[in-house]
Amino acid sequence: PRTPLHAAASSLSAPLARRCDCARRLLQLGANARLLNADEDAPYQCVADESRFHYSYSLSLYTAGDGVRVETFRQLLEEAYRAQR
């Protein structure tokens, strides 16, 4: 099973900026960043980088023109993971 944070981190169906905003909102609402998925990974370990995949969608949907980088998203989740000890 995946948690909502795992879904936001690993989903490739939304642009990175939207996934990051979603995760940020989930954390504000009290989501547990320490829950592990079935593979025993924390959400920060599951951040998918859509730039490594080829899509038939417009490239503009998956570019980082919004200023959000994979490393920034991963750092948000990792900081939440460490803060929730």
Side-chain angles (χ1 to χ4, degrees):
R2 296 186 332 172
T3 69
L5 284 176
H6 283 92
S10 62
S11 174
L12 294 175
S13 63
L16 186 62
R18 286 189 190 169
R19 294 171 29 222
C20 188
D21 288 344
C22 178
R24 187 176 288 112
R25 183 71 178 131
L26 288 167
L27 291 168
Q28 289 171 347
L29 292 172
N32 188 342
R34 296 197 58 84
L35 292 178
L36 305 179
N37 65 9
D39 294 326
E40 297 187 2
D41 291 325
Y44 76 89
Q45 296 170 309
C46 299
V47 176
D49 180 0
E50 62 267 353
S51 69
R52 296 182 185 197
F53 300 92
H54 175 70
Y55 292 94
S56 60
Y57 299 107
S58 166
L59 288 177
S60 64
L61 181 64
Y62 295 101
T63 59
D66 48 29
V68 175
R69 296 175 26 171
V70 172
E71 296 81 14
T72 305
F73 188 17
R74 191 173 288 122
Q75 183 179 3
L76 168 76
L77 293 172
E78 187 170 3
E79 287 175 357
Y81 177 85
R82 299 196 187 289
Q84 291 181 358
R85 291 187 183 231

